[in-house]
Amino acid sequence: MNHNTEDERLFASLQSGDKKAFNTFFLRYYPVLCAYATHFVGMDDAEEIIQDMMVGIWERRKDIAIESSLNGYLFRTVQNKCVNHIDRLRLHERVHSFLACNRQKLFEDPDFYIVEELTQKIEDALKKLPEKYREAFVLNRIEGKTYNEIAATLGVSSKTIDYRIRQALKCLRDELKDYLPLLLTLVGNKII
């Protein structure tokens, strides 16, 4: 029997809700996908990413449509999840750096610890943004790129970038409304 056909049948059983098929699928693919993920991230992160991915496969099993091959789908998904993980880490570093540059004057402030809390709140708020809004916002407000530069990079109009950033700002203002006075004190209007 062709191994790919066997795996595709296994996946079809999984999609129909067969827990035994899911367990077999998990045992068969988990080690291979973890090994692949370590090409992008460390082993601990790889294991966490693959575990989350497997849970997601089970939860979304009825909605998954594989257009090419099962292996192609799985390995592309792992790569995308690893890249997203790396992007989140980079975003954390950029936000932390941005705030660190603007907080030097606060070292004597007894409420200095709140900057760490604020950093986390900003990161959480950014993570909640739709990906296109977050991307445009980070490129403009954190990396300092102009609307035209971002538009050229993303292959859209500068009006689209303007719209995405305005929507991101609206979402962030709502999400961070309790922190706006402190945020404006720390960074002025550079972020929000």
Side-chain angles (χ1 to χ4, degrees):
M1 183 190 306
N2 184 333
H3 187 62
N4 284 340
T5 304
E6 180 184 339
D7 286 352
E8 287 165 7
R9 282 188 212 154
L10 179 66
F11 195 75
S13 296
L14 176 164
Q15 285 186 294
S16 68
D18 183 339
K19 288 183 180 179
K20 185 177 176 187
F22 174 74
N23 291 338
T24 302
F25 175 83
F26 185 94
L27 293 172
R28 184 174 293 169
Y29 278 97
Y30 182 80
V32 173
L33 296 176
C34 279
Y36 179 65
T38 61
H39 288 89
F40 305 98
V41 297
M43 187 56 161
D44 289 343
D45 289 337
E47 289 177 347
E48 186 176 327
I49 288 167
I50 301 309
Q51 288 168 10
D52 288 347
M53 179 182 147
M54 289 295 192
V55 169
I57 286 173
W58 178 253
E59 290 173 346
R60 296 181 299 102
R61 65 189 175 275
K62 293 178 183 174
D63 300 324
I64 296 173
I66 297 175
E67 296 174 9
S68 56
S69 70
L70 177 60
N71 281 342
Y73 169 80
L74 293 172
F75 285 94
R76 260 191 321 278
T77 302
V78 170
Q79 184 176 358
N80 290 339
K81 289 190 174 295
C82 289
V83 167
N84 287 341
H85 177 76
I86 292 166
D87 286 346
R88 279 192 301 276
L89 291 176
R90 287 182 181 150
L91 176 61
H92 172 81
E93 290 170 8
R94 287 193 301 250
V95 169
H96 190 76
S97 284
F98 182 82
L99 288 175
C101 290
N102 289 285
R103 69 181 179 186
Q104 293 301 317
K105 62 186 175 229
L106 296 177
F107 278 121
E108 291 105 31
D109 189 335
D111 293 328
F112 176 74
Y113 70 92
I114 202 154
V115 173
E116 289 302 318
E117 179 183 345
L118 182 59
T119 299
Q120 189 59 51
K121 294 291 182 188
I122 292 171
E123 288 173 15
D124 292 344
L126 286 171
K127 286 178 193 172
K128 290 179 183 178
L129 290 175
E131 187 176 336
K132 290 181 179 185
Y133 295 175
R134 180 177 59 245
E135 182 179 39
F137 179 83
V138 168
L139 288 170
N140 177 252
R141 298 300 169 104
I142 295 177
E143 294 185 13
K145 295 189 184 295
T146 67
Y147 286 17
N148 288 336
E149 289 171 332
I150 299 167
T153 301
L154 300 180
V156 297
S157 73
S158 60
K159 287 188 184 241
T160 299
I161 297 303
D162 178 58
Y163 174 79
R164 290 178 184 175
I165 290 173
R166 280 191 285 117
Q167 292 305 307
L169 288 169
K170 181 180 175 191
C171 295
L172 289 171
R173 282 187 191 110
D174 289 345
E175 193 68 31
L176 298 170
K177 65 181 175 267
D178 297 336
Y179 292 87
L180 279 180
L182 177 61
L183 189 57
L184 291 172
T185 301
L186 287 174
V187 296
N189 289 322
K190 290 183 182 176
I191 288 188
I192 303 183

